[in-house]
Amino acid sequence: MTTHHPIKPAWRCGGCAGEWPCQTRRRELRAEYDRAPVSLALYLAAQLVGATQDLAHVPAGHLHHRFLGWTR
């Protein structure tokens, strides 16, 4: 089990205190969803919705890149 889970409402990583999803969690998610990229995108989109409520001061483009932009 990972320690790199989001600490809300700041959306910081519980394992390394970086922005969630951090690089470690991204690697873990890629491995977990190796054969299901659409499911990964749906999971991250749901997390993005929650983050936009908590991080209303962060530009939408930054949040999009942070949560979904790296999945391509």
Side-chain angles (χ1 to χ4, degrees):
M1 175 159 235
T2 186
T3 60
H4 294 270
H5 57 279
I7 304 297
K8 302 172 188 175
W11 289 86
R12 305 300 290 182
C13 176
C16 66
E19 288 186 341
W20 192 91
C22 65
Q23 291 299 321
T24 298
R25 187 63 180 136
R26 289 178 183 189
R27 280 192 303 274
E28 292 172 349
L29 287 167
R30 280 190 182 113
E32 288 175 36
Y33 289 90
D34 181 46
R35 298 192 182 265
V38 173
S39 295
L40 173 59
L42 290 171
Y43 167 72
L44 290 169
Q47 298 303 307
L48 173 61
V49 169
T52 58
Q53 295 171 357
D54 293 331
L55 302 174
H57 60 283
V58 179
H62 175 76
L63 290 177
H64 180 271
H65 178 73
R66 177 174 161 181
F67 283 84
L68 293 169
W70 61 272
T71 61
R72 297 181 187 157

